[in-house]
Amino acid sequence: MAKSQEGFVWSSKDGFRYAAVVASTPKSELSASYDVIVIGAGFAGLTVARDLGFKGKKVLLIEARDRIGGRCWTVDTGETAKLEMGGTWVHWIQPHVFSELQRCDLDEFVETVAFPENCESVKKASRQDPAVVHDPAEGQAMMEQLEGLMAKFFDIDGQGGRSVIPFPFNMASSTNHNPEYLELDKLSIADRVAQMPDCDEEQRAVLGAQAASFYGIAPEKGAFTEVLHTQALCNFDPAMTEIATMKYKIAEGTTAFALAILNDFKGDRIFSSPVQSISQPSDHAPVAVTLKNGEQFTSNSVVSTIPVNVLSSITFNPPLSPLKKEAFSDAVTPARIDKLLVCTPTKFANGFTVSCEGGDMPFASGFLDGTHGSHNLLTLLTHPDNKFDSAEDNIRLVETLHPSGVEVHSVYGHIWSDDPYAGGVMPVRKPGFLGKYHDEIRKPHGNVHFCGSDFADGWRGFISGAFEDAYRVTREVETSLSIK
Amino acid sequence: MAKSQEGFVWSSKDGFRYAAVVASTPKSELSASYDVIVIGAGFAGLTVARDLGFKGKKVLLIEARDRIGGRCWTVDTGETAKLEMGGTWVHWIQPHVFSELQRCDLDEFVETVAFPENCESVKKASRQDPAVVHDPAEGQAMMEQLEGLMAKFFDIDGQGGRSVIPFPFNMASSTNHNPEYLELDKLSIADRVAQMPDCDEEQRAVLGAQAASFYGIAPEKGAFTEVLHTQALCNFDPAMTEIATMKYKIAEGTTAFALAILNDFKGDRIFSSPVQSISQPSDHAPVAVTLKNGEQFTSNSVVSTIPVNVLSSITFNPPLSPLKKEAFSDAVTPARIDKLLVCTPTKFANGFTVSCEGGDMPFASGFLDGTHGSHNLLTLLTHPDNKFDSAEDNIRLVETLHPSGVEVHSVYGHIWSDDPYAGGVMPVRKPGFLGKYHDEIRKPHGNVHFCGSDFADGWRGFISGAFEDAYRVTREVETSLSIK
């Protein structure tokens, strides 16, 4: 394969240029105590801090990273396009994120089409096997079969699932109307696949993999209702599901969005300050938040927007309830979809998708995802079972993902599953979660309130869910402060 | 027809019990000047006032009525159900209203189904003619034919209209992508009907009436793009359009929602104070707002949320541009859909819809719309050409809307088309509006900013549009104040 000597290969030692690093409040200006300490400067934390600030509360925002945005951030490469290292996709049927975007005048979108018509489809079975172009007719037949299977997979009520989750933004309301929702939540994705009549083993395998692929987990580890819930949010319309979850990116980038929200927050903020422990001697005493560097701040209320995947790394005193601890560890599976953004000068007539079926490949799948300056942008998602690392031989595999080679100009990545402040992507709920843990995880722990997209009812795992839950917890904290 | 002697017939002299009347700031506590004066305490005005207040601006809210909510308010009859006298319908694909509802913890909905399966369908041709039950098979055939006709009506591009309005929340973005959108805007609903091949005259009449019925206008008076825009907001899915525009009401009522937003506004407010004139000697001098009672307040910026239908009743000094004046009068047609809510003990097995075809009836159509305590609730929409008034003989006509009679327990109404602060429902844009007036009406007049659902790009005419436009104008005012 011919290869230019130009360009560079990403190395994990390099940092990126981005706007997400902002200054902390100078130490001399910090207070020892606040009305509220908000831990985490992702979208949920920024929004709670902003809204409680609006309501006259004295707020301190504490962030472990050197930047805002949490599981969303945008790299500015100096080219026209912005590269999203984490959460990316928005749509106007995601109500809160769209509403906040219009509020910030950031509702210009970049459109991409992951699977255009006549798109070239490539498979690569292992590191050694060459990439093989898939027969388009066979691919088309397979897609149609899969669509039919998925429709049956969701059709647990003869109405495509519509009767089970009529109102996907409110668990309590949904389960009150439909006790069968809780029954259904006991099924894993694999359990539901096993229920399907008229399927052979290969079809079952394909269906299970497809249904679970969105979360990057094994089909045994996710509740069937997680998948059904996303369908409900998208009006039980598969075309809408694709458009709502992988078509529109924010033109200015998620970092510009986070900055706009931060701009409305006038309280204190400190960055690069991981929290060690959260202690409250009693319900009526202030809560003490101790940082890893030993510094301590106190407040009447604390809002933790620490992701569920890594919440166990914080010491709580008194300790969390056993049920909460269990919910934050055994009851969920972190989605492990690391994302690699490859800028390539290679041209592909009608787009290009690649899938790597199991084996020893770090990548699971990929698709062309618009352009980046004069280059094409190839988004690769990693294989959940094969831990990805940024070793050069892993990166070099990108060059072998097409029979005629993929020329790599540059590669951008953030290994979320290794990130101590993320621990992967969203926590996927295991079967039985709703009945046992849902209410418990949202309950405050004394004066500590739990918040974030992981806790949302609606677009959980999406930016919109971060806002939804921020609104809930803002109310919770306001009520609790007014009672004191 | 047997008729109980109990019950009462609504008379326009009676008032209603409701929570929407709130106290003004005591006169002694008002200032003579403010950063911003917001005129109108509907959803747009409340939101601008709240958000500018959050940002530390000194705000005065001035309202002509004795209550908040503008074209939305809820009557509390002492029964369990709330009666919505104006804007009613919400859905989660209306992003801003849903987001604000979750923010206020008011996202519990009441579901109604206007056209259930096997619903009894009745026609009444005139005051004298008796109501006649429609043959269900004929009705079904007619509905199917109409659906087919409507699909063709929207299909101006072979894609059901999808290519023309890809992004219904941003006119500028949509027209930049699609100059043909502006071309298409030159058609009236009637023009588009006339373009349809393979239609006989009766079909054209039915189609025109159906397409225009949503707005309560004549098909010649509304732009085709108004109708297409609503389709675009509903993902070009007719079932979604019905669900999004007439299925879910706010369980606590729109007044509870308005109160929740007012509760977050800590500035000054005065009610029952119609504005007479708005004067600004120069761009750099304060704006003077003079009330009908002669009182005057000044501010650096004024936000007018006065509905377009009645904006001409305010004296501007210097006067508005000729183009703006034209836009606020000749370029739009006020939708004249007065709504009458009838509580009836009469039972109907599978629901009941009624249509009154032209002639001398004040009502155009009606449908059973859930229950109200132990009664059924019948919503009647008035005929746009026949001015409705609350004379008893008009109200008594309700009793004749079904062959076996409709027993009337009570009737609630608000005659929006006669209301000096509403002048009807939303202003429907005439053909050619977008190219000629859209930019102009949104431009500030010196330091006076125009705002409200009437000015929104997305859910114009809906509560969601009020929020959308409030966000836009909040930014506009912030920018203008920071430049001064």
Side-chain angles (χ1 to χ4, degrees):
Chain A
M1 186 182 64
K3 191 182 172 310
S4 158
Q5 290 307 301
E6 289 182 14
F8 64 93
V9 173
W10 171 74
S11 131
S12 63
K13 290 178 221 79
D14 297 337
F16 298 131
R17 291 197 296 174
Y18 48 82
V21 173
V22 293
S24 295
T25 305
K27 249 186 183 169
S28 58
E29 294 173 20
L30 293 174
S31 306
S33 78
Y34 291 84
D35 291 329
V36 186
I37 293 173
V38 177
I39 303 171
F43 282 103
L46 289 170
T47 304
V48 170
R50 175 195 71 181
D51 287 355
L52 288 172
F54 277 161
K55 293 175 181 203
K57 305 302 175 200
K58 187 178 172 189
V59 180
L60 172 66
L61 182 64
I62 298 179
E63 168 58 52
R65 306 179 188 278
D66 59 1
R67 63 165 178 86
I68 58 171
R71 283 171 280 180
C72 295
W73 63 295
T74 317
V75 172
D76 179 0
T77 63
E79 298 271 9
T80 48
K82 314 279 185 195
L83 298 186
E84 295 294 351
M85 306 309 293
T88 303
W89 308 106
V90 295
H91 189 280
W92 47 97
I93 71 160
Q94 299 172 9
H96 304 306
V97 68
F98 187 69
S99 199
E100 294 275 358
L101 280 168
Q102 282 211 319
R103 195 183 272 262
C104 300
D105 203 16
L106 288 170
D107 60 341
E108 290 289 333
F109 294 157
V110 175
E111 282 183 48
T112 61
V113 180
F115 305 105
E117 270 184 71
N118 302 318
C119 170
E120 195 178 28
S121 175
V122 168
K123 291 207 170 195
K124 184 171 160 80
S126 73
R127 281 173 179 253
Q128 277 65 45
D129 285 306
V132 178
V133 176
H134 214 66
D135 173 13
E138 198 184 300
Q140 185 59 28
M142 157 84 147
M143 278 305 292
E144 276 163 26
Q145 197 195 43
L146 192 56
E147 276 171 28
L149 287 172
M150 286 296 279
K152 285 185 198 157
F153 175 76
F154 290 122
D155 192 21
I156 28 96
D157 57 354
Q159 300 174 54
R162 281 173 183 75
S163 73
V164 181
I165 313 185
F167 186 55
F169 288 92
N170 188 322
M171 262 305 303
S173 168
S174 288
T175 53
N176 288 348
H177 289 124
N178 292 282
E180 63 182 301
Y181 188 4
L182 287 178
E183 266 314 299
L184 205 67
D185 187 59
K186 294 175 184 161
L187 295 183
S188 70
I189 293 170
D191 292 338
R192 174 60 192 155
V193 170
Q195 287 181 343
M196 305 257 307
D198 314 321
C199 270
D200 61 30
E201 274 318 295
E202 195 193 328
Q203 287 175 324
R204 284 185 210 279
V206 169
L207 181 57
Q210 172 70 15
S213 67
F214 190 76
Y215 304 101
I217 53 163
E220 295 74 31
K221 294 196 170 168
F224 169 62
T225 51
E226 284 280 29
V227 201
L228 189 65
H229 180 84
T230 305
Q231 290 294 107
L233 289 166
C234 298
N235 199 31
F236 297 94
D237 173 348
M240 180 52 105
T241 305
E242 194 179 320
I243 290 171
T245 63
M246 52 189 305
K247 187 177 171 82
Y248 295 103
K249 305 180 200 175
I250 303 164
E252 295 296 313
T254 56
T255 287
F257 189 24
L259 283 170
I261 296 170
L262 180 72
N263 188 43
D264 273 336
F265 169 58
K266 306 301 178 202
D268 294 343
R269 73 278 314 253
I270 50 177
F271 292 93
S272 304
S273 300
V275 167
Q276 176 89 51
S277 67
I278 301 174
S279 303
Q280 41 192 337
S282 82
D283 255 19
H284 301 288
V287 190
V289 175
T290 309
L291 306 182
K292 287 232 163 92
N293 69 8
E295 285 178 80
Q296 198 177 76
F297 299 91
T298 63
S299 60
N300 291 316
S301 288
V302 166
V303 176
S304 159
T305 69
I306 298 164
V308 164
N309 293 340
V310 294
L311 246 174
S312 309
S313 66
I314 308 292
T315 304
F316 285 89
N317 183 12
L320 297 178
S321 76
L323 199 58
K324 246 198 199 87
K325 274 189 191 164
E326 202 176 290
F328 294 155
S329 51
D330 302 344
V332 294
T333 306
R336 296 176 68 89
I337 316 176
D338 297 324
K339 191 166 79 166
L340 227 64
L341 302 174
V342 179
C343 299
T344 168
T346 310
K347 304 273 181 250
F348 300 92
N350 297 305
F352 152 58
T353 68
V354 57
S355 68
C356 308
E357 294 176 337
D360 56 357
M361 287 290 285
F363 311 120
S365 63
F367 53 92
L368 274 182
D369 192 18
T371 56
H372 176 247
S374 57
H375 295 126
N376 286 308
L377 190 62
L378 175 63
T379 294
L380 293 174
L381 307 178
T382 60
H383 197 289
D385 298 333
N386 295 350
K387 203 162 158 49
F388 177 74
D389 69 53
S390 57
E392 184 161 341
D393 61 333
N394 273 335
I395 303 280
R396 292 260 170 230
L397 279 173
V398 174
E399 297 168 344
T400 71
L401 290 177
H402 190 274
S404 36
V406 176
E407 196 176 332
V408 174
H409 175 267
S410 53
V411 177
Y412 293 80
H414 181 129
I415 305 181
W416 294 101
S417 47
D418 248 5
D419 180 324
Y421 310 122
V425 190
M426 69 178 282
V428 183
R429 296 167 174 195
K430 289 185 188 166
F433 186 96
L434 292 181
K436 189 165 180 188
Y437 303 108
H438 180 268
D439 291 346
E440 176 68 18
I441 61 162
R442 291 174 145 224
K443 264 187 214 153
H445 175 64
N447 295 319
V448 182
H449 304 262
F450 297 95
C451 179
S453 181
D454 295 352
F455 297 85
D457 267 353
W459 283 92
R460 190 170 54 252
F462 283 75
I463 307 173
S464 201
F467 291 113
E468 180 203 310
D469 211 53
Y471 304 155
R472 175 183 69 86
V473 172
T474 297
R475 290 193 308 272
E476 200 176 83
V477 171
E478 264 196 293
T479 307
S480 110
L481 287 177
S482 70
I483 288 169
K484 272 171 209 163
Chain B
M1 185 181 68
K3 190 181 172 311
S4 158
Q5 292 304 305
E6 290 184 12
F8 63 94
V9 173
W10 171 76
S11 128
S12 64
K13 291 181 220 75
D14 297 338
F16 298 131
R17 292 198 296 174
Y18 47 81
V21 174
V22 294
S24 295
T25 304
K27 250 187 183 172
S28 59
E29 292 174 22
L30 293 174
S31 306
S33 77
Y34 290 84
D35 292 329
V36 186
I37 293 173
V38 177
I39 303 171
F43 282 103
L46 290 169
T47 305
V48 170
R50 175 195 71 183
D51 286 355
L52 288 172
F54 277 161
K55 294 178 180 200
K57 305 302 174 203
K58 187 177 174 192
V59 179
L60 172 65
L61 182 65
I62 297 179
E63 168 59 50
R65 305 178 188 278
D66 60 0
R67 61 165 179 85
I68 58 171
R71 282 172 280 179
C72 295
W73 65 293
T74 317
V75 172
D76 180 0
T77 65
E79 296 271 9
T80 47
K82 315 277 185 197
L83 297 187
E84 294 295 351
M85 306 308 294
T88 304
W89 307 106
V90 296
H91 188 278
W92 46 99
I93 70 159
Q94 300 172 8
H96 303 307
V97 68
F98 187 72
S99 198
E100 294 276 356
L101 280 168
Q102 282 213 319
R103 194 182 273 260
C104 299
D105 203 18
L106 287 171
D107 60 341
E108 290 289 332
F109 293 157
V110 176
E111 281 182 49
T112 61
V113 180
F115 306 104
E117 270 184 73
N118 302 318
C119 170
E120 196 178 27
S121 176
V122 168
K123 289 208 171 194
K124 185 171 159 78
S126 73
R127 281 173 179 253
Q128 275 65 44
D129 285 306
V132 179
V133 176
H134 213 68
D135 172 13
E138 198 187 299
Q140 185 61 29
M142 157 85 147
M143 279 304 294
E144 276 162 25
Q145 196 196 43
L146 192 55
E147 276 171 29
L149 287 172
M150 287 295 279
K152 284 184 200 159
F153 175 75
F154 290 122
D155 192 21
I156 27 93
D157 57 352
Q159 299 174 57
R162 282 173 182 77
S163 72
V164 181
I165 313 185
F167 186 54
F169 288 92
N170 189 323
M171 262 305 302
S173 168
S174 288
T175 53
N176 289 346
H177 288 125
N178 293 281
E180 64 182 301
Y181 189 1
L182 287 178
E183 267 314 300
L184 206 65
D185 187 57
K186 296 177 183 161
L187 296 183
S188 70
I189 293 170
D191 292 336
R192 174 59 192 154
V193 169
Q195 287 182 344
M196 305 254 309
D198 313 323
C199 270
D200 61 30
E201 275 318 295
E202 194 194 327
Q203 287 175 324
R204 284 185 210 279
V206 168
L207 181 57
Q210 172 70 14
S213 68
F214 190 76
Y215 304 101
I217 52 161
E220 296 72 32
K221 293 193 171 170
F224 169 63
T225 50
E226 283 281 27
V227 200
L228 188 65
H229 181 85
T230 306
Q231 290 294 107
L233 288 166
C234 298
N235 200 31
F236 297 93
D237 174 350
M240 179 52 106
T241 304
E242 193 179 321
I243 292 171
T245 62
M246 51 188 308
K247 187 177 169 81
Y248 295 104
K249 303 179 202 176
I250 302 163
E252 295 295 315
T254 55
T255 287
F257 189 23
L259 283 169
I261 296 170
L262 180 73
N263 188 42
D264 273 336
F265 168 58
K266 305 303 177 204
D268 293 343
R269 75 278 314 255
I270 49 177
F271 292 93
S272 304
S273 302
V275 167
Q276 176 88 52
S277 66
I278 302 174
S279 304
Q280 41 192 337
S282 82
D283 254 21
H284 300 289
V287 190
V289 175
T290 309
L291 306 183
K292 287 232 162 92
N293 68 8
E295 285 179 83
Q296 198 178 76
F297 299 91
T298 63
S299 60
N300 290 316
S301 289
V302 166
V303 176
S304 158
T305 70
I306 298 165
V308 164
N309 294 340
V310 294
L311 247 174
S312 309
S313 66
I314 307 292
T315 304
F316 285 88
N317 181 12
L320 297 178
S321 75
L323 199 60
K324 249 201 196 83
K325 275 189 190 163
E326 199 176 292
F328 294 155
S329 52
D330 304 342
V332 295
T333 306
R336 297 176 68 89
I337 317 175
D338 296 324
K339 191 167 78 167
L340 228 63
L341 303 174
V342 179
C343 299
T344 169
T346 310
K347 304 274 180 249
F348 301 92
N350 297 305
F352 153 57
T353 68
V354 56
S355 67
C356 308
E357 292 177 338
D360 57 356
M361 288 288 286
F363 312 121
S365 63
F367 54 92
L368 275 181
D369 191 21
T371 56
H372 175 244
S374 57
H375 295 127
N376 285 308
L377 190 62
L378 174 63
T379 294
L380 292 174
L381 306 179
T382 60
H383 197 289
D385 297 332
N386 295 350
K387 204 162 157 50
F388 177 74
D389 68 54
S390 56
E392 186 161 341
D393 62 332
N394 272 336
I395 304 280
R396 292 262 174 229
L397 278 174
V398 174
E399 297 169 345
T400 70
L401 291 177
H402 191 276
S404 38
V406 177
E407 196 178 331
V408 174
H409 175 268
S410 51
V411 177
Y412 295 79
H414 181 129
I415 305 183
W416 293 101
S417 46
D418 249 4
D419 181 323
Y421 310 123
V425 190
M426 69 178 280
V428 183
R429 296 168 174 193
K430 288 187 189 163
F433 187 96
L434 291 181
K436 189 164 180 191
Y437 304 108
H438 179 269
D439 290 346
E440 177 66 20
I441 62 162
R442 292 175 145 221
K443 264 186 215 153
H445 175 63
N447 294 319
V448 182
H449 304 261
F450 297 94
C451 179
S453 182
D454 295 350
F455 298 85
D457 267 352
W459 284 90
R460 189 171 55 252
F462 283 75
I463 308 174
S464 202
F467 291 112
E468 182 203 310
D469 211 55
Y471 304 154
R472 175 184 69 87
V473 172
T474 298
R475 290 192 311 270
E476 200 177 82
V477 172
E478 264 195 294
T479 306
S480 108
L481 288 176
S482 71
I483 287 170
K484 275 170 205 164

